[in-house]
Amino acid sequence: DGHSLDSLSLCAHGDDCRVRVVVILADLHVFRDVKQQELFIGTVRVNSRMDWVILDSAVSQAFKVYIAKVDPTSSLGLSTDSIFSYSMGHIKRVLGGEAPETLPSHCMSQDSTGITLALKGLKEKCVDSLVFETLIPKPMMQHYISLLLKHRRLVLSGPSGTGKSYLASRLAEYLVDRSAREVTTGIAVTFNMHRQSCKDLQLYLSNLANQIDRESSMSESPLVVILDDIHDPASISELVNGALTCKYHKCPYIIGTSNQPIKMTANHGLHLSFRMVTFSNNVEPANGFLVRYLHRKLMESEHESSLTNDDLIRVLDWVPKLWYHLHTFLEKHSTSDFLIGPCFFLSCPITVDEFRSWFIDLWNYSIIPYLQEGAKDGIKVHGQKAGWEDPVEWVRGTLPWPSAQQDQAKLFHLPPPSIDSSSPGQSLEEKTHKETPPSSMESDPLMAMLLKLQEAANYIESPEKEDPSLPKL
């Protein structure tokens, strides 16, 4: 069955019809950057003999099957208990509640969009909806929220691309919802510490502290301040402690993100005011995120042929292995500034042919230059390490799509680094044609993230120096 499941949402003239089931995500009030407010999870069959108890069971089963596909290691902690209610036509049904008089089949109309599920959230004192949206395991999400509610200040630290900024925005959203305050434009403020100075932040926080002390009402001051891309978390924590002199319970929540490992010393008061969460590619939520995200993306394609396409499933299952291989390579040959998280691979296409050309471009014009810079950084910091292995050998040996042998030669090598080495794996003739990435890469979020991380790494080491071999946008 190669039909898009979209076409099957309405009943045919016969008795049996197949109905789309989607999970509706909570509306975002602060960060309205998410276009998609619902996620497709599957279909159920509805007929004239079906009552609400049977439909409850069918909807629950569809959710259970979906979660098993998206979260094969059962790390998220979601189950059929996560479902609060579902709507069909004009009927909203709380699972296990009193059954409506109208049979389910009579609720289907020509303009019906199928069945929409609502998961348990803030009103039910649960985080299931947030876990489903973010793909972060429930125990971890509960831990982050409890740290914030108790200590009001949190730093998320770890490699670029592990989802720290995304999580910060969702935690801020949660805190705003929980506060029940009217949502104004200034209720959550973001400082990008890569673009704004510590002096700007100090001035802002000092003024804010004075404003909070003067006013009896908190309605005008921000509830959450996000400090994104902090270079030195310990000094920022001292700055925040010094500038925010207002009473602790009146201070805004502060959520920081940092790509730098945090070195705790006796002189730094980081542990006194900020709580720290370290993201690592070796553990949850980062190490399982890519598998969950790609499986969800596959389900989102809503194409029966995709869901049963072994070649495509093999390709998608290879991506996390590739990421982890590159992560291991960088751990061995580079520094912590150059580790990459799973978010670098989220833009991968969901067809084998598109994936093939996407990956070859990505490898040659983004990954290889990045690995080269990482290896050069490793030599500067640690000196030459023994046991160099060109990562392209593993990639060529494991390419997952059919007839991949013909593509092996298209993938660039990564020669052992020398401080003054030029662009890798290319002949002089190739270099003249391929100094800059193709224009199709200009809007590639991976490319943007790679350059952002490289820019940060260059800034830390030598603000004046810019490497000419890096691809430019």
Side-chain angles (χ1 to χ4, degrees), residues 24 63 78 192 423 465:
I24 197 88
F63 185 75
L78 296 178
N192 185 302
S423 228
K465 178 177 169 251

Side-chain angles (χ1 to χ4, degrees), residues 330-362:
L330 286 167
E331 269 195 325
K332 186 176 177 183
H333 293 288
S334 187
T335 63
S336 60
D337 293 337
F338 276 86
L339 296 181
I340 58 172
C343 296
F344 287 88
F345 296 93
L346 302 189
S347 61
C348 84
I350 302 291
T351 69
V352 174
D353 286 344
E354 287 177 20
F355 180 91
R356 179 182 156 274
S357 54
W358 170 85
F359 176 72
I360 292 169
D361 270 357
L362 186 73

Side-chain angles (χ1 to χ4, degrees), residues 178-354:
R178 187 179 179 278
S179 73
R181 263 177 56 175
E182 184 187 350
V183 178
T184 56
T185 49
I187 198 164
V189 176
T190 299
F191 262 77
N192 185 302
M193 299 308 296
H194 192 62
R195 291 195 288 268
Q196 291 166 285
S197 71
C198 289
K199 278 186 179 175
D200 293 337
L201 177 63
Q202 191 167 22
L203 185 63
Y204 172 78
L205 292 178
S206 298
N207 290 339
L208 180 60
N210 291 334
Q211 178 190 329
I212 290 170
D213 281 338
R214 282 196 312 270
E215 293 173 7
S216 55
S217 166
M218 300 288 292
S219 59
E220 296 302 311
S221 58
L223 180 75
V224 188
V225 176
I226 294 175
L227 307 179
D228 203 21
D229 206 3
I230 298 169
H231 289 302
D232 183 358
S235 66
I236 286 286
S237 80
E238 289 177 4
L239 183 155
V240 170
N241 291 342
L244 267 185
T245 52
C246 49
K247 288 180 180 168
Y248 203 68
H249 69 278
K250 287 188 172 184
C251 286
Y253 293 100
I254 302 209
I255 307 172
T257 71
S258 176
N259 295 337
Q260 303 306 308
I262 297 176
K263 298 174 180 68
M264 303 294 273
T265 69
N267 299 330
H268 285 138
L270 182 66
H271 59 291
L272 298 178
S273 61
F274 278 81
R275 287 299 176 267
M276 187 184 73
V277 170
T278 303
F279 280 57
S280 163
N281 287 330
N282 300 308
V283 294
E284 288 285 9
N287 76 337
F289 177 79
L290 193 54
V291 169
R292 294 191 286 269
Y293 183 89
L294 294 178
H295 285 193
R296 180 165 81 183
K297 200 169 182 179
L298 178 64
M299 291 294 289
E300 273 298 297
S301 70
E302 293 194 41
H303 220 275
E304 287 280 283
S305 58
S306 296
L307 301 179
T308 55
N309 183 334
D310 289 341
D311 288 338
L312 177 57
I313 291 165
R314 198 176 299 114
V315 163
L316 294 183
D317 285 343
W318 177 76
V319 175
K321 294 172 189 165
L322 163 74
W323 160 62
Y324 205 75
H325 186 77
L326 297 180
H327 164 71
T328 307
F329 172 86
L330 286 167
E331 269 195 325
K332 186 176 177 183
H333 293 288
S334 187
T335 63
S336 60
D337 293 337
F338 276 86
L339 296 181
I340 58 172
C343 296
F344 287 88
F345 296 93
L346 302 189
S347 61
C348 84
I350 302 291
T351 69
V352 174
D353 286 344
E354 287 177 20

